Amino acid sequence: MDYQVGDYLVHEGSGVCQVEDIDDMELMGKGSRKTYYCMSPVFKAGAKVFTPIVGSTVRLRPVAGLDTFTRILDNIDDIECIEEANERALQDKFKAVMAEFTPESMASVVKTVLIRKWNRIAAGKKVMAMDEKVLNVAGRKLYEEMAFAMGKDIAYAQNLFEDAVKASLQDTLLIGA
């Protein structure tokens, strides 16, 4: 898909970015010229990202709209938690779901890890380092895109998502009681 200067995209590694320029460049002295999207991450002031238009392994996609995040929040109960008894296999599942590169997949991972984290804390256990790492990556991606779509800051999006998950858990506990 061809993007234009001014478009907002989700860059697989750098989050929400705006295309500032499209230019032929020779990067890293490899001797071959390519056409690159020159982008600025929205939530990282001063940073620049250069991604080849052709032949890049980094994925780009348009930013999801407000309707996508409204649907996710309104249907938080329907977002499946990822289940796996083996911790190593669970981490592999997290990676596979995150590789889907959609807001819905990130929401599934974040919801799962938040619930695991809150359950461990409630049981007086430490939060697992791997869960924190996964939450940092998937959460950042989800919350940045959600914040951008809503025209809010990242903390607002994070609180909104976490509150929706908490409300869902309380509803589940009340229904199951």
Side-chain angles (χ1 to χ4, degrees):
M1 180 173 231
D2 289 328
Y3 302 110
Q4 306 300 317
V5 171
D7 287 351
Y8 287 94
L9 307 174
V10 177
H11 181 279
E12 190 173 30
S14 297
V16 179
C17 295
Q18 183 177 26
V19 178
E20 289 190 336
D21 195 13
I22 299 172
D23 197 10
D24 288 335
M25 295 188 291
E26 186 176 325
L27 290 182
M28 301 215 260
K30 293 188 178 181
S32 62
R33 294 186 72 75
K34 289 184 177 183
T35 304
Y36 287 81
Y37 290 117
C38 307
M39 300 180 288
S40 292
V42 171
F43 295 101
K44 294 180 188 107
K48 297 288 182 208
V49 178
F50 300 93
T51 303
I53 291 177
V54 177
S56 176
T57 58
V58 175
R59 294 182 293 171
L60 300 171
R61 65 170 171 76
V63 176
L66 178 59
D67 58 323
T68 297
F69 295 103
T70 301
R71 188 175 61 253
I72 287 171
L73 292 169
D74 288 348
N75 298 295
I76 200 83
D77 292 339
D78 298 333
I79 295 175
E80 296 286 327
C81 283
I82 301 162
E83 295 187 27
E84 174 60 54
N86 179 287
E87 286 298 321
R88 176 167 265 139
L90 179 63
Q91 299 308 320
D92 290 341
K93 279 189 176 184
F94 285 156
K95 287 178 188 171
V97 172
M98 289 169 60
E100 292 172 19
F101 194 47
T102 65
E104 294 82 1
S105 62
M106 292 302 156
S108 175
V109 171
V110 172
K111 178 182 176 183
T112 301
V113 177
L114 284 173
I115 292 170
R116 284 171 49 92
K117 176 181 175 177
W118 296 335
N119 285 340
R120 289 187 67 82
I121 290 169
K125 297 178 182 176
K126 289 184 179 180
V127 177
M128 298 181 71
M130 188 54 84
D131 282 355
E132 287 292 350
K133 184 177 177 182
V134 169
L135 190 56
N136 272 345
V137 174
R140 178 184 56 84
K141 291 178 181 186
L142 176 66
Y143 302 145
E144 277 188 11
E145 188 173 7
M146 182 183 291
F148 182 81
M150 295 178 159
K152 302 287 186 179
D153 64 20
I154 295 170
Y156 177 87
Q158 180 176 352
N159 289 333
L160 195 62
F161 187 84
E162 289 181 6
D163 288 348
V165 173
K166 286 176 186 171
S168 171
L169 291 175
Q170 289 175 344
D171 289 347
T172 303
L173 292 175
L174 290 175
I175 291 169

